[in-house]
Amino acid sequence: MVNVRILGDPVLRKKAEPVTDFSIVRSLIEELKILMYQEDGVGLAAPQLGISLRFFGMDDGTGFKMIVNPEILERADEKETGEEGCLSIPNVFADIERSRWVRVRYQDEHGSYHEELLQGYSARIFQHEYDHLDGILFIDHLDSKARTALSQQLKKIMEGRKKYQEK
Ligand SMILES: [Zn+2]
């Protein structure tokens, strides 16, 4: 069983590569689902499993979906603030501004294309997970004041990761 990669792990900062072999995605669905639900997550991206490929799983309350090679085709100018957390940054929550809606295109685990208009909570999850594929974490969206307020907590998480890895 793989562990969720924690802040400070370089894989979380890498730009992930497009998926060409969909069997890799299919072989990871079960593991991704288990990890995501076990940690009470609503989304989990491949880089968080140490896999630098462009896919993620999400569940906005309507069921689990695999999102492969996603694109954001259009986004609302209008922003909405909501609280976010991330399984790679345990126990840290912050208000983040996201576009109110996004029009997206992605492939499923079989390679079929889907186009959807996502709003509110679904749009927020999608934008958060999509960021992971470009090496962006939700804390990067904070202003310097909010980031400073969290700096001790973030430092502790990174130190904890090192200790765990060195064992
Ligand atoms: Zn995350």
Side-chain angles (χ1 to χ4, degrees):
M1 194 77 191
V2 294
N3 286 308
V4 174
R5 300 299 179 99
I6 301 299
L7 180 67
D9 192 314
V11 72
L12 294 174
R13 291 306 194 178
K14 267 176 77 178
K15 193 176 162 72
E17 296 292 327
V19 171
T20 49
D21 180 359
F22 285 77
S23 68
I24 296 176
V25 176
R26 288 195 295 272
S27 71
L28 287 161
I29 294 178
E30 279 317 304
E31 200 155 36
L32 191 147
K33 260 181 162 174
I34 290 167
L35 278 172
M36 191 183 101
Y37 289 118
Q38 157 185 300
E39 307 280 343
D40 282 327
V42 290
L44 191 59
Q48 295 180 277
L49 304 180
I51 299 155
S52 201
L53 286 173
R54 302 188 76 80
F55 71 92
F56 58 81
M58 67 179 272
D59 184 351
D60 56 9
T62 60
F64 182 84
K65 263 194 292 206
M66 277 308 254
I67 309 284
V68 186
N69 296 330
E71 291 170 81
I72 295 180
L73 303 171
E74 198 184 350
R75 55 168 81 237
D77 291 332
E78 203 186 339
K79 304 280 201 263
E80 198 169 57
T81 301
E83 193 180 65
E84 290 184 23
C86 181
L87 298 183
S88 295
I89 313 174
N91 305 313
V92 172
F93 299 92
D95 283 335
I96 304 293
E97 249 190 18
R98 300 281 185 189
S99 297
R100 202 179 262 281
W101 57 259
V102 283
R103 200 160 60 76
V104 302
R105 180 163 53 208
Y106 61 89
Q107 285 168 282
D108 59 27
E109 65 270 31
H110 304 290
S112 303
Y113 283 91
H114 301 265
E115 204 173 303
E116 275 180 75
L117 180 71
L118 302 176
Q119 307 199 48
Y121 191 49
S122 313
R124 176 170 300 278
I125 300 170
F126 196 100
Q127 290 173 82
H128 176 119
E129 300 308 327
Y130 183 90
D131 272 357
H132 274 298
L133 309 183
D134 287 332
I136 299 166
L137 300 171
F138 81 101
I139 50 172
D140 301 344
H141 294 288
L142 295 169
D143 59 26
S144 59
K145 198 178 151 202
R147 182 95 188 228
T148 305
L150 287 175
S151 63
Q152 281 307 313
Q153 223 181 328
L154 298 177
K155 211 177 132 200
K156 272 200 191 122
I157 291 170
M158 287 193 270
E159 283 166 359
R161 183 191 84 87
K162 270 198 186 144
K163 244 181 250 165
Y164 179 79
Q165 271 207 329
E166 280 159 11
K167 263 182 200 164

